[in-house]
Amino acid sequence: MVNTALLNGDSVNYEKTGMVSKVLTFSCVDGPGNRLVIFLQGCNYDCITCHNPHTINHCDHCGDCVVHCPTNALTFDDSSSRKVIWNESLCTQCDQCIDVCPSKSNPKITLYSVQQLLELTKKHAPFLSGVTVSGGEATLQLPFIIEYFKAIKGTDSLRHLTCFIDSNGSLSEQGWNKVLPYLDGAMIDLKAWQNETHLWLVGRNNHRVLNTISLLTQHNKLHEVRLLYIPNKTDLLTEVDAVSDYLKTLPEHVQIRLNAFQHHGVIGEALTWEKCSKAQMEEFETNLVQRLGRKVITPSIYT
């Protein structure tokens, strides 16, 4: 029997599960204030510049990681399908399994129920301003997010926490409408202005991203729009007039954050690309702010 509780006439399925790649119990860069951040596994983009490529796909149990684990934390089970099993107690988080994975995946996935995640949230709640669900692309596990957010809103000791989603903006309008009643804010990536550039960088067009930004703005749920500046690759500087005109349509309270392309976590072709220096970022910032007429947030560290 499914364990449910009523929340203003709406039930919460505490047994609903989500595939979690990582949990940060404290973060001050994933939304306002101090936040618990849940990174969900799986993404529908295949960004050339992804700095967490191991969150894109689900493990196919090929086993390449097993022989490279120095502590034997990864083994095969005894079933005929030979599933890779992760023993967290033996794991030293050296990430060799991630480095050797040929499938942009991670064998160290934890299946959390809403109830388990709620208990973890309660443990850290006194030190938190809210929770942020990220990824991968978090909204691929939208039913799990909805149940988790509903549970937070229905728990007296957690109701003060804000519920945020960090997203690539690819969710449909129908999907956003399902989560909006329980959502306090969202951070959305706008990775390129021209659709052709966006398609090249991530494998999908940006029409739905722009629709998402518009929808969240209408419902006063858009917290931040982020732009990734890649020297000589992105079109943000060459299209700065159009980009700034678009950003001007957003409310003043919406943060505009500029991210500088770096090599950390990146694999493949993008490792040969030029990193964004502080001077290059300042050039882009100056051009954008002059047209935009308000401040933007820039990186504090360049690696």
Side-chain angles (χ1 to χ4, degrees), residues 4-5 64 91 94 97 102 118 124 145 167 180 239 259 300:
T4 62
D64 284 10
C91 183
C94 69
C97 55
L118 197 67
H124 297 281
I145 295 175
S167 172
L180 279 175
E239 297 287 343
N259 289 330
S300 57

Side-chain angles (χ1 to χ4, degrees), residues 75-266:
T75 57
F76 286 111
D77 67 9
D78 296 327
S79 69
S80 58
S81 58
R82 284 174 59 84
K83 298 288 187 180
V84 175
I85 302 298
W86 174 49
N87 186 334
E88 187 175 4
S89 66
L90 297 178
C91 183
T92 61
Q93 300 297 335
C94 69
D95 286 345
Q96 285 193 41
C97 55
I98 291 174
D99 293 338
V100 301
C101 179
S103 304
K104 297 181 180 178
S105 186
N106 179 4
K108 302 182 295 182
I109 302 302
T110 303
L111 197 65
Y112 274 88
S113 69
V114 169
Q115 183 63 52
Q116 289 172 319
L117 199 53
L118 197 67
E119 293 304 317
L120 180 65
T121 308
K122 289 178 181 178
K123 178 180 178 181
H124 297 281
F127 311 101
L128 298 175
S129 305
V131 301
T132 297
V133 184
S134 185
E137 172 49 34
T139 62
L140 293 184
Q141 298 188 54
L142 188 66
F144 177 70
I145 295 175
I146 291 173
E147 297 304 319
Y148 175 48
F149 284 1
K150 282 198 295 187
I152 289 175
K153 301 301 184 183
T155 303
D156 289 340
S157 61
L158 301 179
R159 197 170 290 135
H160 67 285
L161 299 178
T162 56
C163 295
F164 275 59
I165 292 177
D166 182 341
S167 172
N168 62 25
S170 64
L171 184 64
S172 67
E173 181 176 349
Q174 181 183 20
W176 283 115
N177 284 333
K178 290 179 180 179
V179 73
L180 279 175
Y182 319 104
L183 179 70
D184 294 298
M187 290 85 73
I188 305 296
D189 290 314
L190 180 57
K191 296 180 184 292
W193 177 251
Q194 292 286 353
N195 186 53
E196 292 79 5
T197 307
H198 194 274
L199 185 62
W200 169 65
L201 281 173
V202 311
R204 289 175 179 254
N205 65 50
N206 64 4
H207 297 151
R208 190 169 279 184
V209 181
L210 298 174
N211 290 340
T212 285
I213 291 173
S214 176
L215 178 67
L216 293 173
T217 299
Q218 293 172 24
H219 291 274
N220 198 31
K221 298 296 177 74
L222 183 64
H223 173 70
E224 182 175 277
V225 172
R226 294 175 301 208
L227 309 175
L228 175 63
Y229 184 54
I230 315 168
N232 304 312
K233 298 293 183 181
T234 186
D235 60 5
L236 295 177
L237 184 56
T238 57
E239 297 287 343
V240 67
D241 289 324
V243 172
S244 59
D245 285 345
Y246 174 72
L247 296 176
K248 283 180 183 178
T249 67
L250 302 180
E252 286 288 329
H253 69 266
V254 176
Q255 294 182 169
I256 309 300
R257 183 179 297 274
L258 309 184
N259 289 330
F261 169 67
Q262 304 291 293
H263 287 170
H264 176 71
V266 173

